[in-house]
Amino acid sequence: MKIEDRMAAKSINLNPIQRGGILTDDARRVLQEYGDGYAFCDYCLKGRMYLIDTPPLRTFHQIIAEWLEMDDVRFTLGNRHAQRIIFKVLSKRGKYVIIDANAHYTTYIAAELAGLRVKEVPHTGYPDFKTIEDMYEEKIKEVKRESGEMPIAVFATHVDSYYGNLIDAKRIAKISHDNDIPFILNCAYTMGIMPISRKSTDADFLLGSGHKSMASTAPIGVLATTSEWANKVFRESKIEGDWSGRAFPTKDLESVGCELVGTQLLTMMASFPTVKERVKKFDYEIENARYFVRKIERIGEDAMALGETPRKHTLIHFDIPDFYWATEKKRGRGFYVYKFLKKRNIFGVQPGKSKDIKVNTYGLKKSEIDYVIKVFYELAEELNIPIM
Amino acid sequence: MKIEDRMAAKSINLNPIQRGGILTDDARRVLQEYGDGYAFCDYCLKGRMYLIDTPPLRTFHQIIAEWLEMDDVRFTLGNRHAQRIIFKVLSKRGKYVIIDANAHYTTYIAAELAGLRVKEVPHTGYPDFKTIEDMYEEKIKEVKRESGEMPIAVFATHVDSYYGNLIDAKRIAKISHDNDIPFILNCAYTMGIMPISRKSTDADFLLGSGHKSMASTAPIGVLATTSEWANKVFRESKIEGDWSGRAFPTKDLESVGCELVGTQLLTMMASFPTVKERVKKFDYEIENARYFVRKIERIGEDAMALGETPRKHTLIHFDIPDFYWATEKKRGRGFYVYKFLKKRNIFGVQPGKSKDIKVNTYGLKKSEIDYVIKVFYELAEELNIPIM
């Protein structure tokens, strides 16, 4: 896709991981200005990104912390590295972390990297796949019984990437805190999309993703926490050279000295006025998503949106078996759907997928949603699938 | 600095960490096309960045591996994360890593993160600060004597960031291999600047920095290795969900699943034809750097370039005591030099520095170097310092 096309919004991108990351025009301009290697380091006087005043990166850290009602924040090389850092720091406290079974794959791998075992909280299975929040209590007890120690943390995925289900964060927070365990909430699909704050979640750690949901260029993640945890997680280096005595007490330990995501952060800053406003209009986005679901579920006999009903997020995982059966006979098979949509300037459905179709309607205009529905109906017609 | 200025090259950037990272025009265009969040994931069919064929990221991995005469390569979130990953993987083999005392601060912190101790190889001190390569042998013996085990690796900084000294890699490689220890060479200031290869260095690991030296947007690092080490370092995830049985055997462990630096890599790809050619002209760059040193050393009585003589790199650390004494009486004191240069469109000398002035002449035209010399002489005149 050429820049002119993107700029003119001639094409529609439905990719669930991309809708919230599309840059604002301001962010695009900033990216050009600060694209060169280390350009954001021009006026770094203290050797750490979060202490740079020109451009005002330091102030922006405070702005995001306040926006989230948290005490301190750092920007990481993507949400996955925020997870890696927290798990690593907390891993001294024990061997298990409790996670929802809808957690992103990076949650499992971040735990693995920290030498932790995961204890999963089950979901309800097909077709809702709803995490059973009350089972967090049981799983804490299970860990205690099996290992003799408490889990290092309770982790929940605010909205998961597979079904777009919204978890009841406060309910899980209560269970965590009643057991004196810190609560980590992964808001990769919600921070920058819907209102998120400490008060609305009771989380000890709020994680976000700039390139997924805050109109920022990749890679950048958000790691926000409370004063209770900030000093433990945002530690400084203590190593000393045995011959030279060199030491780096002002450098950040877990980020290997400095986070390096200045260019990305500048795009986030440029987009933030837009992001701050757009989260307030989430109800409108939900209406659009539900409208889209109703229309797409009319394709053939069995089309349905997996996950909870009614939808509470714009990320939607459709199960459309008729597409699968009909395209199996077509040239390109699974790729038929991708190619059909691409010809009509709709992108983002995973190439090769014909049955499990994951999309995200976030930020689409009503007219664009109607256009996508029209094209999906045309595809159904082409495949001789009735609109019910 | 506005984009138009950068494009028109109206200003001169001397920042030692930025000269090699300035984007080519092609990279700048690619950055605009792929700036949106996860745009490089559009056609990801296998869930890992290094397996994407459209755009040809997979092929580019092979191209870089061949260019370096190594067997396999991954791109990381900056050189520091390449160091973090190698140290972590190797840390199972022991407690010590041997490093040169001119190593970048990230080397120390990456070691600290892996729970390692550093054993430093001394340098000659003021004014050359030359690493004494032969002492690697002694330090290996020292580790063995003190800890009863071999160091996990021998690490050297090819050109250091403080004095721009070039280390004798082959000499250190021989010591490492005679002792059956893997040899890691940090080429943050050389890969993409001068010719680097396995044959010319005998390294088991070659690390590079895209934003420092390969005309790429930040953050991106290079981790290249041999077939002997590739499987150990580029491991896949083994964790399994205890309830769901979910597993991610195709995901990369150390990068928490995927490296995420697709946008950065695309700028590196766009710049690579230029980078590949420019390394062949390093002799010309050295001539310019030596010319610049001769001219700047004429400022006042004591101006000198620290580090080895003659210079073997374009990164130069000047010690100009007369600038310090003269600006102490001026408004802005240390910042006087920065402001004087800025008004004349010269950037990159660290704000506040008047005595230790680090610059990099890499890629500057002869006419630009002459302009910088002229402005430095004007500054000397303004400060009543004679040109000797």
Side-chain angles (χ1 to χ4, degrees):
Chain A
M1 215 186 318
K2 288 281 180 301
I3 170 76
E4 300 78 43
D5 296 338
R6 284 186 192 267
M7 281 290 205
K10 278 181 194 161
S11 58
I12 296 175
N13 181 0
L14 298 176
N15 196 322
I17 64 173
Q18 294 183 15
R19 284 299 317 157
I22 294 172
L23 298 185
T24 58
D25 288 349
D26 284 340
R28 213 173 288 281
R29 272 188 285 274
V30 159
L31 183 58
Q32 279 294 28
E33 284 190 35
Y34 286 91
D36 288 318
Y38 270 134
F40 60 93
C41 311
D42 277 351
Y43 218 88
C44 177
L45 303 181
K46 292 178 180 156
R48 274 171 298 174
M49 192 192 85
Y50 66 89
L51 296 177
I52 291 177
D53 283 320
T54 310
L57 302 187
R58 187 215 301 251
T59 305
F60 189 65
H61 281 70
Q62 290 160 1
I63 288 170
I64 291 290
E66 279 169 32
W67 182 58
L68 298 170
E69 299 168 356
M70 299 298 266
D71 300 319
D72 211 348
V73 71
R74 289 290 187 284
F75 297 93
T76 62
L77 293 152
N79 183 305
R80 63 190 66 200
H81 289 277
Q83 297 182 62
R84 175 178 64 77
I85 289 169
I86 299 177
F87 285 166
K88 196 199 153 205
V89 171
L90 297 182
S91 67
K92 286 173 197 147
R93 300 157 54 96
K95 279 188 277 309
Y96 277 90
V97 58
I98 307 214
I99 69 173
D100 54 308
N102 280 337
H104 193 244
Y105 75 82
T106 53
T107 304
Y108 291 80
I109 300 179
E112 182 177 5
L113 271 171
L116 295 171
R117 288 176 210 167
V118 294
K119 176 66 77 176
E120 293 175 314
V121 172
H123 53 63
T124 56
Y126 182 90
D128 285 352
F129 300 95
K130 240 342 239 167
T131 297
I132 308 164
E133 286 94 349
D134 286 339
M135 284 194 72
Y136 270 92
E137 182 73 52
E138 199 177 314
K139 291 295 167 182
I140 293 171
K141 288 194 185 117
E142 217 171 288
V143 165
K144 212 177 159 185
R145 205 166 52 232
E146 290 172 7
S147 72
E149 54 188 29
M150 293 297 272
I152 61 142
V154 155
F155 183 102
T157 313
H158 200 204
V159 161
D160 75 86
S161 62
Y162 305 99
Y163 311 105
N165 285 343
L166 180 72
I167 219 165
D168 186 345
K170 285 202 143 193
R171 203 145 144 198
I172 303 170
K174 187 165 187 323
I175 298 170
S176 307
H177 295 148
D178 285 349
N179 285 281
D180 277 325
I181 303 171
F183 174 45
I184 307 165
L185 189 62
N186 182 357
C187 305
Y189 285 93
T190 52
M191 188 186 294
I193 298 292
M194 57 184 275
I196 299 287
S197 72
R198 184 172 176 181
K199 274 190 213 108
S200 69
T201 62
D202 286 340
D204 299 289
F205 296 94
L206 286 174
L207 311 189
S209 169
H211 47 274
K212 268 200 179 120
S213 302
M214 298 174 81
S216 315
T217 199
I220 181 165
V222 181
L223 196 178
T225 188
T226 65
S227 53
E228 188 188 348
W229 293 101
N231 289 343
K232 297 184 183 76
V233 178
F234 306 142
R235 295 178 296 172
E236 274 134 12
S237 167
K238 286 195 180 127
I239 197 167
E240 259 188 43
D242 68 312
W243 174 79
S244 67
R246 289 175 67 195
F248 318 93
T250 64
K251 294 288 182 185
D252 199 64
L253 176 59
E254 296 298 336
S255 68
V256 207
C258 170
E259 297 86 354
L260 282 197
V261 289
T263 307
Q264 290 70 20
L265 188 59
L266 286 163
T267 64
M268 189 188 285
M269 281 168 70
S271 290
F272 188 64
T274 305
V275 166
K276 205 176 156 182
E277 288 310 307
R278 78 184 189 184
V279 299
K280 297 177 191 162
K281 296 170 196 150
F282 191 61
D283 287 348
Y284 171 77
E285 295 287 344
I286 287 296
E287 265 176 51
N288 282 346
R290 290 179 183 174
Y291 167 77
F292 186 70
V293 166
R294 283 196 302 276
K295 295 291 189 182
I296 298 300
E297 285 187 333
R298 291 178 54 198
I299 295 174
E301 296 279 347
D302 308 312
M304 72 180 294
L306 301 178
E308 65 192 339
T309 308
R311 309 291 315 138
K312 290 177 183 161
H313 195 268
T314 55
L315 186 156
I316 310 156
H317 183 152
F318 286 107
D319 183 24
I320 314 181
D322 285 338
F323 272 3
Y324 175 77
W325 295 115
T327 54
E328 275 302 279
K329 298 162 233 158
K330 292 279 186 182
R331 213 179 132 198
R333 299 176 73 187
F335 288 87
Y336 187 88
V337 173
Y338 176 82
K339 283 177 187 164
F340 187 94
L341 298 176
K342 187 181 170 187
K343 262 189 205 154
R344 285 147 189 88
N345 273 324
I346 297 173
F347 296 85
V349 168
Q350 202 183 327
K353 291 277 182 187
S354 59
K355 184 176 176 289
D356 289 287
I357 291 179
K358 274 172 66 181
V359 300
N360 193 339
T361 59
Y362 191 77
L364 289 179
K365 288 178 211 143
K366 188 72 190 331
S367 60
E368 290 174 319
I369 290 179
D370 279 328
Y371 174 71
V372 175
I373 294 166
K374 184 173 149 273
V375 170
F376 269 76
Y377 282 7
E378 277 171 24
L379 171 59
E381 198 184 329
E382 186 85 11
L383 297 171
N384 293 314
I385 301 166
I387 305 302
M388 309 300 284
Chain B
M1 218 188 314
K2 288 283 180 298
I3 170 77
E4 300 78 42
D5 296 338
R6 282 186 194 269
M7 282 288 205
K10 277 180 193 162
S11 58
I12 296 176
N13 181 0
L14 298 176
N15 196 322
I17 64 172
Q18 294 183 14
R19 286 297 319 158
I22 294 171
L23 298 185
T24 57
D25 289 349
D26 283 341
R28 213 173 288 281
R29 273 188 284 274
V30 159
L31 183 59
Q32 280 295 27
E33 283 189 36
Y34 286 91
D36 288 319
Y38 270 133
F40 60 93
C41 312
D42 276 351
Y43 217 87
C44 177
L45 304 180
K46 292 179 180 157
R48 273 171 298 175
M49 192 192 84
Y50 65 90
L51 296 177
I52 292 177
D53 283 320
T54 311
L57 302 187
R58 187 214 300 251
T59 305
F60 189 65
H61 281 70
Q62 290 160 2
I63 288 171
I64 292 292
E66 279 168 32
W67 182 58
L68 298 170
E69 299 168 355
M70 299 298 266
D71 299 319
D72 211 349
V73 71
R74 290 290 187 284
F75 297 93
T76 63
L77 293 151
N79 182 306
R80 61 191 68 199
H81 289 277
Q83 297 182 64
R84 175 178 65 74
I85 290 168
I86 299 177
F87 284 166
K88 198 199 149 205
V89 170
L90 297 183
S91 67
K92 286 172 198 149
R93 302 157 53 95
K95 280 190 276 308
Y96 277 91
V97 59
I98 307 216
I99 69 174
D100 54 308
N102 280 337
H104 193 244
Y105 74 83
T106 54
T107 304
Y108 291 81
I109 300 179
E112 182 176 5
L113 272 171
L116 295 171
R117 286 176 213 167
V118 293
K119 175 68 75 180
E120 294 175 313
V121 172
H123 53 64
T124 56
Y126 182 89
D128 286 352
F129 300 96
K130 236 351 234 165
T131 296
I132 308 163
E133 287 95 349
D134 286 339
M135 283 194 72
Y136 270 92
E137 181 73 52
E138 197 177 314
K139 291 296 166 181
I140 293 171
K141 288 194 185 120
E142 214 172 289
V143 166
K144 212 177 160 186
R145 204 165 53 231
E146 288 172 8
S147 72
E149 54 188 28
M150 292 298 272
I152 60 145
V154 155
F155 183 101
T157 313
H158 200 205
V159 161
D160 74 87
S161 63
Y162 305 99
Y163 311 104
N165 286 343
L166 179 72
I167 219 165
D168 185 345
K170 285 202 142 193
R171 202 144 143 197
I172 303 169
K174 185 163 187 327
I175 298 172
S176 307
H177 295 148
D178 285 349
N179 285 281
D180 275 327
I181 303 170
F183 174 44
I184 307 166
L185 188 63
N186 183 356
C187 305
Y189 284 94
T190 51
M191 189 187 292
I193 298 292
M194 56 184 274
I196 298 287
S197 72
R198 186 174 176 181
K199 274 189 215 111
S200 69
T201 62
D202 286 340
D204 299 288
F205 297 94
L206 285 174
L207 311 188
S209 169
H211 47 274
K212 268 198 181 125
S213 303
M214 298 174 81
S216 314
T217 198
I220 183 165
V222 181
L223 197 178
T225 188
T226 65
S227 53
E228 187 188 349
W229 294 100
N231 290 342
K232 297 183 184 76
V233 177
F234 307 142
R235 294 178 296 172
E236 274 133 13
S237 167
K238 285 196 179 126
I239 197 168
E240 259 189 41
D242 68 311
W243 174 79
S244 68
R246 289 175 68 195
F248 318 93
T250 64
K251 293 288 182 186
D252 198 64
L253 176 60
E254 296 297 336
S255 69
V256 207
C258 171
E259 297 87 354
L260 281 196
V261 288
T263 307
Q264 289 72 21
L265 189 58
L266 287 162
T267 64
M268 189 188 285
M269 281 167 71
S271 291
F272 188 62
T274 305
V275 166
K276 205 176 156 184
E277 287 310 308
R278 79 184 189 186
V279 299
K280 298 176 191 163
K281 296 170 195 148
F282 191 60
D283 287 347
Y284 172 77
E285 295 287 342
I286 287 296
E287 265 175 52
N288 283 345
R290 290 179 182 173
Y291 168 76
F292 186 71
V293 167
R294 284 196 302 275
K295 295 291 189 180
I296 298 301
E297 286 187 333
R298 292 178 53 198
I299 295 175
E301 296 280 346
D302 308 313
M304 72 179 294
L306 301 178
E308 65 192 339
T309 308
R311 309 291 315 138
K312 290 178 184 160
H313 195 269
T314 56
L315 187 156
I316 310 156
H317 184 152
F318 286 107
D319 183 25
I320 314 183
D322 285 339
F323 273 3
Y324 175 78
W325 295 115
T327 55
E328 274 303 277
K329 300 161 231 157
K330 294 278 186 182
R331 212 178 131 201
R333 299 176 72 186
F335 288 86
Y336 187 88
V337 173
Y338 176 82
K339 283 177 187 162
F340 187 94
L341 298 176
K342 187 182 169 186
K343 262 189 204 153
R344 286 149 188 88
N345 274 323
I346 297 173
F347 296 85
V349 168
Q350 203 183 325
K353 291 276 182 187
S354 59
K355 184 176 175 291
D356 288 287
I357 292 180
K358 272 172 66 183
V359 301
N360 193 341
T361 58
Y362 192 77
L364 290 179
K365 288 179 210 141
K366 188 74 190 328
S367 60
E368 291 174 318
I369 290 179
D370 279 327
Y371 174 72
V372 174
I373 294 165
K374 184 173 149 273
V375 170
F376 268 75
Y377 282 7
E378 277 171 23
L379 172 58
E381 197 185 329
E382 187 83 12
L383 297 171
N384 293 316
I385 301 167
I387 305 302
M388 311 301 282

